[in-house]
Structures are given as C-alpha cells and as structure tokens.
Amino acid sequence: MPKSPAVPAALPTPADPAELSAEDAKLVILARGARSRVAAVEGAAVRDQDGRTYAAASVALPSLTLTALQLAVASAVAAGASRLEAAVVVTEASTLDGAGHAAVRDLSADAPVHVAAPDGTVLGTVVE
C-alpha cells in the first residue's frame, strides 16, 4: 500500500506509560475486545468530543487494508465526530503505525494515543 504524504516518515515511538484515566482505561478494554472478537492483528478505540466511543479491528482484504486505528477514526468521522479526545491501539508492535497516527492527528493535534500490549498493559503514550 503506498504511503500517503500525510503519513509521518518516522513511526512515533510511545513515551513512558502515563497513568490512564478511567475513560482512557475503558478505551483499552474496547480495543482489546475488538481485536480478540475477530482474532485481528490489532484493535483500537477512540473517544470523540462528545464522549462517544468507537472500536475497530484491523482489516486485511485483497482490495482494502486498514489499520485498526484508521478504521476507528473513520467510524468516528462517519458518526459526525469533529475532534478526538483520546485513542488506544492494542498491538504486539512496539511502535505506533504512521497511518493510524496520521488519522488521529487529522482530527486532533493533541489527543494522546496510548499503545497497549494484547494483555492490556500500556506500553506508552504518543502525544505529538
């Protein structure tokens, strides 16, 4: 899949884990559920400006490939979200994928993106 110019060249590496609020901890649960429901590579969840949450799993079809975070952001936008408060990705990777990061930044320059392991342990948070 060709990289979009909006995708950062270097993948963001999560900083030290932050203490999660109850609302952000809920996003971890939703992302883990989305991932495990379909045995996907990754799961994600986002919270919009009204507190609504959207969860998604990665999609890998012959004609369509989306990261879980891209799909969660797309679901939020399709439901009318104009800003994100926070996002979570549950993955086995140690870095946040560039396409998902760019999708979050399209709606919010400062929303924290928490990266968690499949067991729910928060590995770190990307804030830039």
Side-chain angles (χ1 to χ4, degrees), residues 8 10-16 95-98 100-106 108-115 124-128:
L11 298 178
T13 301
D16 290 332
T95 60
L96 177 61
D97 69 272
H101 180 254
V104 170
R105 292 298 170 243
D106 284 344
S108 180
D110 59 356
V113 182
H114 306 291
V115 179
T125 301
V126 175
V127 291
E128 80 267 353

Side-chain angles (χ1 to χ4, degrees), residues 57-83:
S58 51
V59 174
L61 300 172
S63 63
L64 177 67
T65 301
L66 292 171
T67 70
L69 193 50
Q70 284 178 308
L71 185 52
V73 171
S75 295
V77 170
S82 59
R83 180 161 171 71

Side-chain angles (χ1 to χ4, degrees), residues 30-44 55-60 68 71:
L30 292 171
R32 288 183 71 208
R35 180 180 182 268
S36 67
R37 206 170 9 263
V38 295
V41 172
E42 61 183 20
S58 51
V59 174
L71 185 52

Side-chain angles (χ1 to χ4, degrees), residues 2-38:
K3 286 194 176 186
S4 145
V7 176
L11 298 178
T13 301
D16 290 332
E19 183 70 29
L20 295 186
S21 68
E23 290 298 312
D24 288 358
K26 176 183 169 185
L27 292 177
V28 173
I29 293 167
L30 292 171
R32 288 183 71 208
R35 180 180 182 268
S36 67
R37 206 170 9 263
V38 295

